[in-house]
Amino acid sequence: MSSNPAPEEGTPPPDVAQRIGRFLRGLERARRQPNRREAYHLRVALDRLRQGHPAESDEAMKNAERCAPLPAQVASLITTNDPVTVVQLQQELEEVLAARS
């Protein structure tokens, strides 16, 4: 039994934003940019976090961490080949966190 109360709907679990930040710092330390799969799932996680859907954000972050395959409907889209940098994703995370403050 957990002593922590469940987060209210629309409030992100405290660790989702932290996990995104940790993941991005790990990419920085490795001196590499996110691959196509990681970038897609990170953007989904950030988008769901922005929309106030913590469970969906958490699931997308799990997909990024395990480099899950892209959904079939987006795998063939040209936009999923557009490179995204760690700096861009960090800026998106900062914007999401600032909007929630």
Side-chain angles (χ1 to χ4, degrees):
M1 183 165 171
S2 174
S3 62
N4 294 335
E8 296 176 27
E9 184 57 36
T11 304
D15 67 332
V16 174
Q18 291 173 353
R19 282 174 45 214
I20 294 170
R22 246 189 336 263
F23 190 87
L24 294 174
R25 286 189 300 278
L27 290 174
E28 255 185 344
R29 278 191 306 276
R31 297 179 187 209
R32 72 173 184 88
Q33 300 304 317
N35 65 36
R36 183 176 175 219
R37 291 177 177 187
E38 291 166 334
Y40 172 79
H41 293 299
L42 282 165
R43 283 222 157 132
V44 170
L46 287 165
D47 186 52
R48 298 306 182 267
L49 196 60
R50 184 179 296 114
Q51 294 174 0
H53 300 287
E56 293 175 19
S57 179
D58 182 60
E59 189 60 35
M61 194 55 216
K62 288 177 187 174
N63 287 336
E65 290 168 338
R66 61 186 170 99
C67 204
L70 297 173
Q73 67 271 22
V74 297
S76 62
L77 296 176
I78 293 174
T79 56
T80 58
N81 289 323
D82 291 342
V84 63
T85 66
V86 170
V87 171
Q88 290 171 318
L89 292 168
Q90 286 172 330
Q91 288 172 344
E92 285 187 45
L93 177 59
E94 289 170 10
E95 290 170 8
V96 169
L97 294 175
R100 294 203 157 279
S101 299

